[in-house]
Amino acid sequence: MTPPVPLHLSLAGQAVDVLREQVLTGEIPPGSRVNEVEVAQKLGISRGPLREAIRHLASEGLLTLVPHRGAFVPDASPEDVRALFELRTALECAAAELAASRRTDVDLVRLQDVCAESRRNYRAGQPFPYRLDLAFHQTLIEAARSPYIAEQVRLVQQRVVLLRSSLDDDPPHQHASMDDHDELVRAIADGDAARAATVMRRHLSRVCAQMITSLTR
Amino acid sequence: MTPPVPLHLSLAGQAVDVLREQVLTGEIPPGSRVNEVEVAQKLGISRGPLREAIRHLASEGLLTLVPHRGAFVPDASPEDVRALFELRTALECAAAELAASRRTDVDLVRLQDVCAESRRNYRAGQPFPYRLDLAFHQTLIEAARSPYIAEQVRLVQQRVVLLRSSLDDDPPHQHASMDDHDELVRAIADGDAARAATVMRRHLSRVCAQMITSLTR
DNA sequence: AACGTGTCAACTGTCGACAGTTGGCAGTTT
DNA sequence: AAACTGCCAACTGTCGACAGTTGACACGTT
């Protein structure tokens, strides 16, 4: 029952985790460069494993590589956001359809729980935390039981987080999102794949528009 | 007007191209291991760049990494094929929809050209070459003008090629595929996004089933 | 004979150092 | 003063070598 991977993650693996965190939290701001020797010293490792970590993050879209120049944290144009959300929509609509036809009862309970917690948070005056939004989509993906789609959604979500630099949602948008989530759960509960896809598409369309406006202002 | 990337691709980049070719053509058969020192010597490079190439191909799904064991060419189970085609369906159906609404006239001509060449080849008694099937889907993706979706489709197509170990299509399937392609082009020509998605889904469902049967026999 | 144990070779993970390239700066020219 | 040229520092790309881990084989035990 012991995990097949060693408890000691390789240095490269550890570096991936640390760097990913720093990039996603904005600790390494978009547009900035990642100096190999500097970061390697800071992490206490050699350049070899760090390079592998950098390449890995680049393959996830969290860094862009320029030959002989190094790795940069990408900053997004509205056009990028639009194109990225086309991919996200394709993936998550398919996931919504699959979830509607494959969900178990415990999947349904989990989805409802996340929605309920969102409402509680919102009613308590606190803003709808992005954490719960991620949790909802994550739960939905698991209910779809399609490992390849799940993996790709994870990567896209990450890139969305990266672009989401301190995007403080306004309450109307939060309310609409929660309504979308509720409607999605109902469609999935009914096993209505077509409606689940439609609602997901509308939801993501709204989120995308909101991100673009909050990006351009 | 000089290209921004150096004509000298980095050694790692060259190694990626060579290895990708060898994996996709089956020169390195599925299930076999990639020995770092051996391959590095064969390519005349050091282990550093080769390791980066291996990690890159692993991120594309063309190799699987096992800690302290090395890189292996994955061999697929029917379940993998099914899951992979769920992802492919999500991506290519979305691409078909987008292509239907965004295609230009030259896109349409290109699609029709590929279909016509397929027919010519088929009538000439030659088997429907997989090359033309790839060309069709590639052209369709370009017509969709969605860079992120295009990139993901490219990666999925590669993995499909990898699984397609000497899959000699039988003529009935080839004929059905060409009919699907023709119908897709008509739907795209009409700008009928919904029908394009439906046809694409049916087409990929057929291809998936064909691959699984030819894999299990 | 089957099982458990100890040893070993092969390979991956990691490191430090060298070579080649890039962008910027100082100096010179017009 | 503006533009061009040559040089330089910084950084990436690459290499060879060392250390740690893994799987397998041989040996001894029950």
Side-chain angles (χ1 to χ4, degrees):
Chain A
M1 198 50 66
T2 55
V5 294
L7 277 61
H8 263 281
L9 218 54
S10 69
L11 292 187
Q14 292 177 311
V16 166
D17 291 341
V18 173
L19 272 184
R20 181 170 18 225
E21 189 70 15
Q22 292 186 349
V23 169
L24 288 180
T25 60
E27 192 171 337
I28 303 178
S32 67
R33 203 163 68 100
V34 176
N35 186 317
E36 290 187 359
V37 293
E38 180 186 334
V39 175
Q41 286 180 354
K42 195 163 292 182
L43 295 182
I45 64 177
S46 170
R47 276 182 59 215
L50 178 63
R51 276 177 70 91
E52 286 185 5
I54 289 175
R55 304 304 165 114
H56 186 87
L57 291 178
S59 79
E60 291 189 357
L62 262 45
L63 292 175
T64 59
L65 263 39
V66 181
H68 294 288
R69 294 291 322 278
F72 295 79
V73 180
D75 47 353
S77 67
E79 199 45 54
D80 279 332
V81 176
R82 225 181 314 264
L84 185 58
F85 264 80
E86 283 173 8
L87 174 58
R88 183 178 177 184
T89 301
L91 293 170
E92 293 216 49
C93 284
E97 289 180 14
L98 290 172
S101 63
R102 295 180 177 175
R103 65 160 186 83
T104 64
D105 288 346
V106 327
D107 290 328
L108 200 54
V109 171
R110 280 190 192 136
L111 284 169
Q112 290 164 339
D113 279 353
V114 175
C115 285
E117 190 175 349
S118 301
R119 295 282 178 193
R120 268 200 302 278
N121 253 278
Y122 186 70
R123 288 220 185 85
Q126 296 175 1
F128 179 27
Y130 188 58
R131 200 197 85 242
L132 284 174
D133 186 78
L134 274 180
F136 176 83
H137 287 268
Q138 187 62 34
T139 307
L140 190 147
I141 291 302
E142 286 168 13
R145 284 168 225 294
S146 188
Y148 288 106
I149 290 182
E151 173 66 6
Q152 291 309 316
V153 168
R154 213 205 79 216
L155 295 175
V156 171
Q157 297 265 26
Q158 261 189 179
R159 287 201 262 197
V160 171
V161 172
L162 176 61
L163 305 185
R164 226 189 76 91
S165 49
S166 71
L167 176 141
D168 41 68
D169 297 337
D170 52 355
H173 173 259
Q174 294 180 22
H175 206 282
S177 277
M178 285 191 297
D179 287 347
D180 285 344
H181 287 187
D182 284 336
E183 194 174 348
L184 254 172
V185 173
R186 281 196 297 273
I188 289 173
D190 297 345
D192 190 338
R195 191 158 132 259
T198 301
V199 175
M200 177 65 90
R201 178 166 302 204
R202 197 192 61 207
H203 173 55
L204 291 180
S205 168
R206 193 203 315 281
V207 174
C208 178
Q210 221 274 341
M211 276 191 72
I212 288 179
T213 58
S214 82
L215 205 77
T216 51
R217 75 159 177 237
Chain B
M1 196 47 69
T2 55
V5 294
L7 278 61
H8 276 289
L9 218 55
S10 70
L11 293 186
Q14 293 178 314
V16 166
D17 291 340
V18 174
L19 272 185
R20 190 186 350 243
E21 189 69 15
Q22 292 186 349
V23 170
L24 288 181
T25 61
E27 192 171 336
I28 304 178
S32 68
R33 201 165 67 93
V34 177
N35 186 316
E36 289 187 1
V37 292
E38 179 187 334
V39 175
Q41 285 180 355
K42 195 163 291 181
L43 295 182
I45 63 177
S46 170
R47 276 182 58 216
L50 178 64
R51 276 177 70 91
E52 286 185 6
I54 289 175
R55 304 307 165 112
H56 186 89
L57 290 178
S59 80
E60 291 188 356
L62 262 45
L63 292 174
T64 59
L65 264 39
V66 181
H68 295 287
R69 294 292 322 279
F72 295 79
V73 181
D75 48 352
S77 68
E79 198 45 53
D80 279 332
V81 176
R82 226 183 314 266
L84 185 57
F85 264 80
E86 283 174 8
L87 173 58
R88 183 178 176 184
T89 301
L91 293 170
E92 293 216 49
C93 284
E97 289 181 15
L98 291 172
S101 61
R102 293 180 178 174
R103 66 161 186 82
T104 64
D105 289 346
V106 327
D107 289 329
L108 201 55
V109 171
R110 280 190 191 136
L111 284 169
Q112 289 163 340
D113 280 352
V114 175
C115 286
E117 191 175 348
S118 301
R119 294 282 179 192
R120 269 199 304 277
N121 253 278
Y122 186 70
R123 290 221 184 84
Q126 296 174 2
F128 179 27
Y130 189 58
R131 200 198 87 242
L132 284 174
D133 187 78
L134 275 180
F136 177 83
H137 287 269
Q138 186 62 34
T139 307
L140 189 147
I141 290 303
E142 286 168 12
R145 291 190 167 68
S146 188
Y148 287 106
I149 290 182
E151 173 65 7
Q152 292 308 315
V153 168
R154 202 191 54 94
L155 295 175
V156 172
Q157 298 265 26
Q158 261 188 179
R159 285 199 265 195
V160 171
V161 172
L162 176 61
L163 305 185
R164 227 189 75 89
S165 49
S166 71
L167 175 142
D168 39 70
D169 298 338
D170 53 353
H173 174 259
Q174 293 179 23
H175 205 282
S177 278
M178 285 192 296
D179 287 346
D180 286 344
H181 287 188
D182 284 336
E183 194 173 349
L184 254 172
V185 172
R186 280 196 296 276
I188 290 172
D190 296 345
D192 190 339
R195 192 159 129 257
T198 302
V199 174
M200 177 65 90
R201 177 167 302 204
R202 197 192 60 206
H203 173 56
L204 291 180
S205 169
R206 193 203 314 281
V207 174
C208 178
Q210 221 274 339
M211 277 190 70
I212 288 179
T213 59
S214 83
L215 204 77
T216 51
R217 75 158 176 239

